[in-house]
């Protein structure tokens, strides 16, 4: 039993039934562990900001971020109760909930965090302009254990390409290593996803500059014909330095997932605190502007996957009936 787990159980036992039902202020100081990913990627950036905003909004609440290997490690850590919350990319979450390659998980969604339009970035002076131009080239597909390589496998599979056969696939030990590899030519491209993703920002800010490569309209249609759970998404103009035009792509939503037995009153309190801090969170981190109650309801694969304590709060504020 983790330290955070013991605190949560003790706090829940101290609550009166009324406080447990309403998510009232009777909960004593609570520490919540949060799994993120390897340094230099989007999850640690988001997780650290999440912890700061949530703790500032509720002085009796402490969110403790922890670097992990990413989504593929976070899911089993949640199942074993070694994490209370964890950031999980859309594709690993989809596979885990659907029981693809494993038994279905019984984890729950606390919140959707942001959409993840997937694309490649190359140096601005490189000759590569389409996904097929990258065939046979060394490409960094993200950190081992993260959700990024899973997203790219689905995208490439929809185009009839195999990630580990049609490309010289490179998997990173640290997400932050990718931009330098693009800059010095060790890889032709870096795969990533999201708005404000640190790897894309680093390449776009480098001396060489960046060009982004995403599936074209026909390619998006082909990919969705095979993998309909991937949704059309857009990277707005100005999301990265010198990106003057919006970029159409596709991907999914990442989530904060909870361990199965996170008490309802704690989930309620977290949802209420996060909802009250949405504007503050958006000002602190651009990606967090998508972290809203409404987006969580829209992005969840099924309503019953949202934590019951969160759903109780959503019904109270009218986000769901």
């Amino acid at each position: 039993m983790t330290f955070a787990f013991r605190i949560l159980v003790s706090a829940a036992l101290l609550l009166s039934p009324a406080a447990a039902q309403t998510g009232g202020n009777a909960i004593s100081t609570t520490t919540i562990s949060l799994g993120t990913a390897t340094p230099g990627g989007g999850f640690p950036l988001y997780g650290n900001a999440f912890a700061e905003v949530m703790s500032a909004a509720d002085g009796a609440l402490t969110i403790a971020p922890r670097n992990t290997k990413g989504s593929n490690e976070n899911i089993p850590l949640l199942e074993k109760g070694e994490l209370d919350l964890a950031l999980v990319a859309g594709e690993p979450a989809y596979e885990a909930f659907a029981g693809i390659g494993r038994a279905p998980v019984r984890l729950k969604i606390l919140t959707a965090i942001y959409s993840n339009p997937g694309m490649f970035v190359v140096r601005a002076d490189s000759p590569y302009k389409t996904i097929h131009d990258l065939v046979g080239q060394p490409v960094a597909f993200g950190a081992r254990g993260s959700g990024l390589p899973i997203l790219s496998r689905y995208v490439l599979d929809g185009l009839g390409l195999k990630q580990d056969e049609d490309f010289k696939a490179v998997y990173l030990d640290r997400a932050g290593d990718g931009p330098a590899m693009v800059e010095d030519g060790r890889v032709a491209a870096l795969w990533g996803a999201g708005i404000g993703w640190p790897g894309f920002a680093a390449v776009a800010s480098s001396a060489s500059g960046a060009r982004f490569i995403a599936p074209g309209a026909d390619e998006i249609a082909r990919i969705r014909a095979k993998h309909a759970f991937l949704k059309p998404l857009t990277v707005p103009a100005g999301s990265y330095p010198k990106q003057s035009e919006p970029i159409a792509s596709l991907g999914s939503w990442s989530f904060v997932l909870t361990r199965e037995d996170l008490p309802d009153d704690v989930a309620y309190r977290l949802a209420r605190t996060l909802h009250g801090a949405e504007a503050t969170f958006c000002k602190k981190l651009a990606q967090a502007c998508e972290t809203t109650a409404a987006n969580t309801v829209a992005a969840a694969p099924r309503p019953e996957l949202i934590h019951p304590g969160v759903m109780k709060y959503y019904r109270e504020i009218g986000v769901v009936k």
Side-chain angles (χ1 to χ4, degrees):
M1 185 178 292
T2 65
F3 177 68
F5 179 87
R6 290 196 298 271
I7 293 176
L8 288 171
V9 171
S10 299
L13 290 174
L14 288 171
L15 286 176
S16 67
Q21 291 172 6
T22 62
N25 294 326
I27 302 177
S28 58
T29 301
T30 303
T31 299
I32 308 284
S33 57
L34 172 69
T36 59
T38 60
F43 275 7
L45 179 69
Y46 181 96
N48 291 337
F50 178 88
E52 291 177 21
V53 168
M54 293 288 281
S55 297
D58 183 343
L61 184 67
T62 299
I63 307 292
R66 168 181 160 186
N67 289 126
T68 66
K69 295 178 181 178
S71 299
N72 288 339
E73 182 180 29
N74 288 344
I75 290 170
L77 288 175
L78 285 169
E79 290 184 290
K80 290 185 288 186
E82 295 180 16
L83 289 172
D84 299 315
L85 309 176
L87 307 184
V88 177
E91 289 68 40
Y94 164 76
E95 293 184 347
F97 285 133
I100 296 174
R102 51 152 302 144
V105 298
R106 301 181 66 179
L107 308 176
K108 296 297 182 182
I109 295 169
L110 176 73
T111 184
I113 60 175
Y114 48 65
S115 58
N116 287 286
M119 55 187 184
F120 296 93
V121 65
V122 299
R123 286 171 50 128
D125 59 0
S126 83
Y128 311 112
K129 296 187 176 163
T130 70
I131 292 175
H132 279 83
D133 288 344
L134 294 171
V135 169
Q137 300 301 317
V139 175
F141 284 104
R144 301 177 191 274
S146 79
L148 287 174
I150 300 176
L151 172 59
S152 56
R153 282 195 179 94
Y154 278 112
V155 169
L156 295 173
D157 180 70
L159 299 176
L161 297 171
K162 295 185 181 300
Q163 186 162 295
D164 295 312
E165 296 177 17
D166 292 312
F167 304 85
K168 296 175 183 175
V170 176
Y171 299 101
L172 307 172
D173 292 322
R174 291 166 44 97
D177 294 340
M181 297 176 73
V182 174
E183 179 68 9
D184 65 21
R186 280 176 287 168
V187 297
L190 171 66
W191 169 264
I195 297 166
W197 189 61
F200 287 161
V203 177
S205 300
S206 70
S208 301
R211 179 190 306 121
F212 294 100
I213 299 174
D218 291 344
E219 291 176 318
I220 289 174
R222 287 177 59 195
I223 294 164
R224 294 203 68 232
K226 190 167 185 180
H227 302 299
F229 75 93
L230 295 175
K231 306 300 182 186
L233 298 169
T234 300
V235 180
S239 296
Y240 296 101
K242 299 181 181 178
Q243 179 213 338
S244 59
E245 299 292 332
I247 302 170
S249 188
L250 77 176
S252 62
W253 284 76
S254 293
F255 300 99
V256 177
L257 299 186
T258 79
R259 54 186 172 85
E260 179 188 350
D261 57 353
L262 186 75
D264 287 2
D265 59 285
V266 175
Y268 178 104
R269 183 179 183 178
L270 289 166
R272 183 185 61 185
T273 302
L274 182 57
H275 182 241
E278 282 179 3
T280 301
F281 201 5
C282 178
K283 290 179 182 177
K284 185 172 186 65
L285 187 70
Q287 299 93 305
C289 295
E290 293 187 294
T291 304
T292 67
N295 280 343
T296 300
V297 173
R302 303 188 304 277
E304 61 268 25
L305 295 177
I306 300 175
H307 195 291
V310 175
M311 288 296 279
K312 175 178 172 59
Y313 178 72
Y314 285 175
R315 289 189 187 98
E316 289 180 4
I317 63 174
V319 175
V320 293
K321 296 182 179 179

